[in-house]
């Protein structure tokens, strides 16, 4: 943790502790009790988070409490488990196939390339190329509309060209 982050965390914890302590004398009033409960929750949550994160990497307050300093003790096991998870779950052939099957590649490619297409494919006149706006009913190719059926129709038309 950087020095600035540690300072911010310490100040936040201090504000919660000071706010909780400052509301104790007036805790009989409902609005003060509401405020005190907020400070108390922030204080307890901050201390719990500090202890949990510290306990992962070292012994809190230097006291060798069991089940603390887990990462330095088990670095090799954690590293192997992480590598295994990435290789078998995230980058397996089946998961990649599933992700590619869910991705609509044709519309993405067509949208990205449409800016560099000849004017006829964008609707303007261009000699020698079919006008994409005329549609398949006139025999000049599909309309430039990115619904799935139109993309499939356009791809078939492009593949059928000599």
């Amino acid at each position: 943790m950087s020095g600035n982050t540690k300072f911010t965390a310490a100040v936040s914890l201090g504000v919660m502790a000071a706010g909780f302590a400052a509301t104790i004398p007036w805790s009989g009033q409902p609005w003060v009790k509401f405020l005190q409960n907020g400070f108390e929750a922030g204080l307890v949550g901050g201390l719990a988070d500090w202890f949990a994160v510290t306990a992962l990497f070292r012994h809190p307050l230097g006291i060798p409490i069991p089940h603390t300093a887990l990462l330095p003790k088990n670095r090799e096991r954690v590293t192997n488990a992480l590598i295994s998870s990435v290789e078998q779950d995230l980058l397996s052939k089946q998961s990649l196939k599933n992700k590619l099957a869910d991705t609509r590649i044709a519309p993405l490619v067509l949208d990205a390339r449409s800016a560099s297409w000849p004017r006829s494919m964008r609707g303007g006149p261009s000699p020698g190329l079919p006008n994409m706006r005329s549609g398949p009913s006139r025999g000049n190719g599909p309309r430039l509309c990115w619904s799935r059926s139109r993309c499939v129709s356009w791809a078939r038309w492009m593949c059928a060209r000599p």
Side-chain angles (χ1 to χ4, degrees):
M1 200 158 53
S2 70
N4 192 27
T5 307
K6 282 184 178 181
F7 176 75
T8 303
V11 167
S12 297
L13 199 57
V15 167
M16 292 299 130
F20 178 73
T23 57
I24 290 174
W26 299 281
S27 62
Q29 297 179 353
W31 67 273
V32 175
K33 189 68 172 170
F34 180 75
L35 194 61
Q36 185 181 26
N37 288 340
F39 283 126
E40 183 179 11
L43 181 61
V44 170
L47 288 173
D49 288 348
W50 168 81
F51 183 84
V53 172
T54 302
L56 284 173
F57 297 99
R58 58 186 171 88
H59 298 294
L61 303 174
I63 303 168
I65 302 169
H67 307 295
T68 58
L70 297 174
L71 290 181
K73 291 178 192 173
N74 301 307
R75 181 177 306 234
E76 191 69 28
R77 261 181 32 194
V78 170
T79 303
N80 290 337
L82 184 61
I83 290 170
S84 173
S85 177
V86 168
E87 287 177 348
Q88 294 174 6
D89 297 333
L90 298 176
L91 296 178
S92 70
K93 285 183 181 180
Q94 189 59 42
S95 71
L96 290 176
K97 284 180 183 178
N98 292 342
K99 290 195 187 314
L100 286 174
D102 292 342
T103 304
R104 299 177 135 212
I105 294 175
L108 295 174
V109 171
L110 294 174
D111 285 341
R113 295 292 299 165
S114 65
S116 63
W117 286 356
R119 289 186 63 187
S120 67
M121 293 186 172
R122 288 181 279 158
S126 179
L129 292 172
N131 187 343
M132 294 293 284
R133 295 220 178 207
S134 62
S137 60
R138 294 189 186 166
N140 292 335
R143 292 179 182 262
L144 190 59
C145 177
W146 299 128
S147 68
R148 183 179 181 139
S149 62
R150 299 282 185 193
C151 289
V152 169
S153 175
W154 185 84
R156 286 183 182 144
W157 174 75
M158 286 296 289
C159 291
R161 292 178 58 204

